[in-house]
Amino acid sequence: MKQSFETQLLNVPYDKQDAHLALSMPVYNAVAFECDTAEEMEQLFSGQAPGHYYSRVSNPTVAYYEERVQALTGAMSVTASNSGMSAISDTLMTIAYAGANIVSSNHLFGNTYSLMKNIFSHFDVELRTCDMTNLDEVRSQIDNRTCAVFLEIISNPQLEVVDLKSLSAVCNELNVPLIADSTVVPFCVFDAKALGVNIEVISSTKYISGGATSTGGLLIDYGTFDWSRSKALKTWHDKFGNKAFTMRMKKETGRCLGSYMTPQAAYMQTLGLETLKMRFERQSSTCLALAQRLQTLPAIASVNYPGLKDSTFYQISLAQFGQYPGAMLTIDLASRAACFDCLNRLKIIRRATNLFDNRSLAIHPASTIYVTFSLEQREKMHIREHTIRLSIGLESVDDLFEDIRQSLSR
């Protein structure tokens, strides 16, 4: 019998029985783990035997967290890292090489864009941007040096939604892996594998952590790409087959960059998993109801949320994510000054960065996340001076609406 998301989540067994039969995986706050023999140590270091020997490489508490996510997503492998940005960095460092290019969009979170545009360029890796909703344009940017197509399933903060099945068909035809950041809609409702995503990256700091308890990231490998097509992974594929990406990332990239998740964060995020679906349903349903109400306020020029029926992306969003495409919306006001005045008058919604905390948060992206970008860059990325981004928490929709209404009352 197929189990529900919640039942399956709560019944993933431990790899080894706990000595005291604890219902929650203990925090193994240890750096090193002893081996019985020199031969066992050799096997662990060479990867010939499973087990843990050093917590920068693997840890029992983190491994159990990874196993639970793997069981829920049906992935071939899951790796937990210290942040969403480290998950993206490790992924791209594993498949990129000097002379390669990454095809993506101008509609990216600011740090993700900076990583690809500013840092990778020093290693001769080119970022090629195009309209990801235009498949002909995407196709024109891909060549035999394209190591990946990368996108956000709902862009932050532009809230653009791409037809993933159609995009994945183009990527598959041209032998390029499709990598998707799915932070905005969690895997309790979003099936990345079914839509053709090869590698999924997530900032688990957001929904999964259980209310901003810890930073973390997830790299989810579905084992669906033929890595013999990858210039960076051809020799790894010869040895490990469809596990080539995972093996290089675990044995080389992640190990050398030191990005593995801490056991403390893994423990908190394992607990966060247990209430993920419940919190997402509450936050996202509140987000839709609030977006609908905000459309009635004359001081708001426009409300942007893919779940609204007048959104350009409503139909594709509904097909890919269901009725509730996440708990983030944006509002456009008359000016930058109006945005600052609104933010300063909020009484319940917090002026803070991050997404999908239990508390609702508001930020002016142009003057914060994108403050180091030039005006020309912000215009290309469609980061408007008159936009406020809202992350919706667990408060009542009535209280949130009233807080925004009173903040605009002048």
Side-chain angles (χ1 to χ4, degrees):
M1 181 179 73
K2 182 175 175 57
Q3 295 181 337
S4 69
F5 178 90
E6 296 88 344
T7 301
Q8 186 179 10
L9 166 65
L10 293 168
N11 290 282
V12 176
Y14 296 158
D15 182 47
K16 295 181 179 179
Q17 188 179 61
D18 177 64
H20 301 283
L21 303 181
L23 288 178
S24 294
M25 166 63 82
V27 180
Y28 284 86
N29 193 22
V31 172
F33 302 87
E34 186 178 10
C35 298
D36 291 332
T37 66
E39 288 79 8
E40 180 188 351
M41 183 176 285
E42 179 186 28
Q43 289 180 333
L44 287 174
F45 270 74
S46 64
Q48 297 176 53
H52 308 282
Y53 59 89
Y54 193 59
S55 281
R56 177 169 53 79
V57 179
S58 67
N59 174 280
T61 308
V62 184
Y64 181 60
Y65 172 53
E66 294 167 337
E67 288 164 14
R68 292 184 91 168
V69 174
Q70 186 175 359
L72 295 168
T73 59
M76 183 188 71
S77 73
V78 174
T79 305
S81 66
N82 279 322
S83 69
M85 282 308 307
S86 70
I88 294 170
S89 300
D90 282 359
T91 297
L92 296 178
M93 288 288 285
T94 299
I95 63 174
Y97 55 92
N101 64 74
I102 300 166
V103 174
S104 190
S105 167
N106 278 317
H107 293 170
L108 289 174
F109 173 62
N111 295 138
T112 306
Y113 182 88
S114 293
L115 170 69
M116 296 186 196
K117 183 70 173 178
N118 301 329
I119 296 178
F120 277 16
S121 63
H122 292 293
F123 300 93
D124 194 24
V125 178
E126 177 191 4
L127 171 63
R128 296 181 176 180
T129 58
C130 60
D131 179 358
M132 300 298 279
T133 66
N134 184 331
L135 296 182
D136 290 334
E137 194 171 323
V138 175
R139 186 187 296 272
S140 71
Q141 293 297 315
I142 295 173
D143 60 23
N144 62 2
R145 288 186 172 270
T146 302
C147 65
V149 170
F150 181 97
L151 82 162
E152 298 168 4
I153 61 169
I154 300 180
S155 64
N156 170 22
Q158 301 88 353
L159 294 166
E160 174 184 86
V161 182
V162 174
D163 183 338
L164 291 169
K165 273 192 174 180
S166 298
L167 179 62
S168 68
V170 171
C171 292
N172 188 57
E173 176 193 339
L174 299 177
N175 300 330
V176 176
L178 177 60
I179 301 171
D181 181 338
S182 64
T183 298
V184 176
V185 182
F187 47 70
C188 58
V189 295
F190 172 63
D191 189 342
K193 184 178 181 180
L195 293 171
V197 173
N198 301 118
I199 304 289
E200 184 177 8
V201 292
I202 302 171
S203 173
S204 55
T205 308
K206 310 304 190 290
Y207 294 113
I208 296 172
S209 73
T213 65
S214 50
T215 58
L218 291 167
L219 296 79
I220 303 177
D221 181 359
Y222 289 100
T224 53
F225 187 74
D226 179 1
W227 295 106
S228 67
R229 304 168 176 178
S230 168
K231 292 183 180 180
L233 292 173
K234 174 65 170 65
T235 57
W236 290 81
H237 179 271
D238 292 343
K239 187 173 182 180
F240 297 109
N242 68 339
K243 294 183 179 179
F245 170 84
T246 289
M247 296 305 289
R248 186 185 186 200
M249 191 271 302
K250 286 181 178 290
K251 287 180 170 293
E252 189 171 80
T253 314
R255 179 181 296 183
C256 294
L257 294 179
S259 56
Y260 197 58
M261 180 176 277
T262 65
Q264 296 89 347
Y267 175 77
M268 288 185 282
Q269 298 202 4
T270 300
L271 295 180
L273 276 176
E274 296 182 357
T275 58
L276 170 63
K277 193 166 187 286
M278 182 191 316
R279 287 181 289 103
F280 173 74
E281 289 174 349
R282 169 63 183 265
Q283 289 174 267
S284 54
S285 61
T286 299
C287 189
L288 174 59
L290 180 63
Q292 292 168 336
R293 291 196 197 183
L294 292 177
Q295 288 183 309
T296 68
L297 296 180
I300 297 178
S302 65
V303 180
N304 189 13
Y305 180 63
L308 292 171
K309 291 184 178 179
D310 60 358
S311 167
T312 303
F313 303 109
Y314 175 73
Q315 290 298 335
I316 188 61
S317 173
L318 185 65
Q320 294 182 162
F321 315 122
Q323 186 179 0
Y324 303 120
M328 174 177 65
L329 64 87
T330 64
I331 58 174
D332 286 350
L333 303 183
S335 64
R336 174 189 171 105
C339 289
F340 275 48
D341 187 54
C342 171
L343 288 169
N344 290 337
R345 290 166 60 84
L346 291 171
K347 297 178 180 179
I348 295 173
I349 299 171
R350 314 299 179 94
R351 291 170 292 275
T353 191
N354 197 23
L355 289 170
F356 318 131
D357 193 315
N358 291 339
R359 305 159 190 79
S360 292
L361 312 174
I363 196 168
H364 180 251
S367 64
T368 54
I369 299 167
Y370 297 88
V371 69
T372 59
F373 289 71
S374 68
L375 178 60
E376 181 183 7
Q377 286 176 313
R378 290 200 297 268
E379 287 176 349
K380 286 182 179 179
M381 300 174 79
H382 298 105
I383 303 299
R384 299 185 293 269
E385 294 292 323
H386 52 277
T387 296
I388 292 174
R389 187 189 77 181
L390 294 164
S391 167
I392 306 306
L394 297 175
E395 304 93 343
S396 80
V397 65
D398 293 335
D399 292 338
L400 295 174
F401 176 73
E402 177 56 27
D403 194 29
I404 296 171
R405 188 203 64 76
Q406 67 79 28
S407 76
L408 298 170
S409 60
R410 298 198 293 206

